[in-house]
Each structure stands twice: as structure tokens, then as C-alpha cells.
Amino acid sequence: MTKPGKFISLEGVEGVGKTTNLEYIADHLKSVGKKIVITREPGGTPIAEKIRGLLLDHGDEVLCKESELLLMFAARAQHLDTVIKPALQAGHWVLCDRFTDATYAYQGGGRDFLMQDIAWMEGFVQKGLKPDKTILLDLDVETGLKRASKRSEPDRFESEKKVFFEKVRQVYLNRAEAEPDRFSVVDASLSLSQVQEAIKIQLDDFLSKE
Ligand SMILES: Nc1ncnc2c1ncn2[C@@H]1O[C@H](COP(=O)(O)OP(=O)(O)OP(=O)(O)O)[C@@H](O)[C@H]1O
Ligand SMILES: [Mg+2]
């Protein structure tokens, strides 16, 4: 797919500050003349948001982990088709709160799925389309969970145990190490203004290579 726009994803374990920093990133990119589409995963379209509800809400029935993985990619396929690809084709910059790195981290790391199975699904659904830049907000799990718990009641993922999130964090860091050009790792333990300064430096570096 030819894509005049750029695709940026924001990743990290619960409570690291992804959603908090989205507007800041959007404002910075707008200030240099980019047209921005802000979206999130799972979700981003009416159908994908319904799937998000199935994935995050505590229902009466236990969602088996195979269903969880397939629903993540079902939502993603819809999101790509309806929102992300058309926006990129129109020259917009897409800013996405989580994307497929989260599937590797949560379903691969947290739920122990084989990375190669996730890679197959990624190829099937995305056909080579990946974020051009991924900002990974890295923070120790305990601090992140504390921040998230102050914000709202735990969803289905936030109810997992600490060891689950340690595995998630480690997969994120491994992926960042394996793809240093795409990933920018930001220390999310700093104050919000320091985190935003670090993000700005990474964005400006990315913009300078455009
Ligand atoms: N650098 C920071 N220092 C202190 N608190 C922060 C910082 N960044 C964000 N927060 C606070 O932490 C809480 C969680 O932030 P936010 O909701 O943005 O995290 P998130 O990564 O989107 O979490 P989730 O994965 O659950 O969606 C919010 O109350 C936010 O105000
Ligand atoms: Mg969030």
C-alpha cells in the first residue's frame, strides 16, 4: 500500500501515560502542519469498539485466550480497513493508542501464545503495514498499576497479576531492542513535563528524517 501519511503508535503497560500524552503528541504534530487522526486499539470504529467491550469488560462468561487473540485481530482488521488505511492514503498522520506490539506483549508475553502465531496473524491482517514510529513508555509495573488504579476501576486486563505485566513489559522492551529504528523508548517514571520533553525530542528526530 502506498501511504502518504505516517503511522505512529503509543505503547506501554497499564498506567504509563499513553492516553495522557496523545493530545500532546497530536498538538506538536499539528504545530508543524500535520493533519492528525487520533484513534485507539482495541477499537477505533463502531464495530471494533463493540469488540473492545467484549475484550475489556468483565462478563459472566470467561473469554478464552484463543478468542481474545482472534478478537484483537478482528477489531484490528476492521480498524485498518475503515479508519487507518483511508487516513494514511489521504495523507493524514495516524496516532494510535496501542497497536500490534500490544498483542505481542499481552497475548504473546502475558498469555504465552507463540510469537510466530501472532506474526502469522499480523501478516494475514496487516499485509506488511506497520507503524512508522512507536513510542514505548516504559515504567515499572507497580507504579503503572498504581497510577491506573487511581484513575478507574480495573478492566479485564488490569485485573491480571503483577507477574503478567512483568512479562508484558519485558516483551515490549525486547521488541524495542530488536527494532531500534522504529521504537523510541521513553522513561515514563519522570514527571509529565519531562516525559513530554523526551517525547518531543523523539518526534522531532522522526520529523527530521521525513
Ligand atoms: N509522568 C506522569 N507522572 C505521574 N502521573 C502520570 C504521568 N503520566 C500520566 N500520569 C497519570 O497516570 C494515570 C494513568 O495515565 P493514562 O491513563 O494516560 O495511562 P495509560 O497508559 O493510557 O493507561 P491504560 O493502559 O490503562 O490505558 C493518569 O491518572 C495520569 O494522569
Ligand atoms: Mg489509556
Side-chain angles (χ1 to χ4, degrees), residues 5-208:
K6 296 279 181 207
F7 184 14
I8 300 181
S9 62
L10 210 56
E11 295 282 2
V13 185
E14 324 295 309
V16 294
K18 298 179 293 298
T19 308
T20 306
N21 286 297
L22 268 183
E23 284 298 329
Y24 173 80
I25 296 172
D27 286 347
H28 185 59
L29 293 172
K30 279 183 207 161
S31 77
V32 294
K34 306 299 178 194
K35 290 192 183 117
I36 306 297
V37 172
I38 294 182
T39 189
R40 68 172 182 182
E41 287 220 343
T45 86
I47 288 175
E49 289 289 330
K50 282 189 191 166
I51 298 174
R52 179 186 179 93
L54 295 174
L55 284 161
L56 299 191
D57 297 345
H58 297 277
D60 295 333
E61 182 183 350
V62 174
L63 184 68
C64 77
K65 66 178 201 170
E66 288 77 10
S67 294
E68 178 184 289
L69 176 60
L70 291 166
L71 284 172
M72 285 290 179
F73 274 107
R76 183 161 300 136
Q78 191 67 23
H79 191 204
L80 279 164
D81 197 58
T82 311
V83 174
I84 297 178
K85 284 188 193 168
L88 292 173
Q89 267 154 1
H92 293 96
W93 282 45
V94 174
L95 191 47
C96 194
D97 192 338
R98 295 190 182 282
F99 197 63
T100 307
D101 295 299
T103 310
Y104 282 98
Y106 283 75
Q107 282 68 46
R111 305 266 191 246
D112 291 324
F113 276 108
L114 292 176
M115 298 300 176
Q116 68 204 51
D117 288 345
I118 298 175
W120 184 86
M121 290 186 204
E122 179 183 30
F124 178 72
V125 168
Q126 295 169 221
K127 302 187 175 57
L129 181 70
K130 284 185 178 188
D132 300 294
K133 170 56 65 187
T134 297
I135 295 171
L136 172 61
L137 296 172
D138 182 56
L139 177 65
D140 71 276
V141 166
E142 218 153 305
T143 310
L145 289 175
K146 247 183 238 158
R147 284 186 191 171
S149 71
K150 276 191 212 146
R151 183 200 53 205
S152 58
E153 287 301 304
D155 65 29
R156 213 174 56 82
F157 284 101
E158 286 162 355
S159 305
E160 289 291 338
K161 297 196 170 51
K162 200 179 150 214
V163 58
F164 175 90
F165 295 108
E166 297 287 5
K167 289 195 275 184
V168 171
R169 182 187 187 196
Q170 195 53 53
V171 173
Y172 271 134
L173 290 172
N174 295 347
R175 291 182 66 72
E177 205 178 4
E179 287 183 76
D181 288 342
R182 175 165 70 89
F183 275 90
S184 295
V185 184
V186 169
D187 178 358
S189 70
L190 302 170
S191 70
L192 186 56
S193 60
Q194 287 171 311
V195 168
Q196 291 180 338
E197 188 52 37
I199 289 175
K200 183 174 175 293
I201 290 168
Q202 297 300 330
L203 288 176
D204 287 342
D205 178 60
F206 180 64
L207 285 161
S208 74

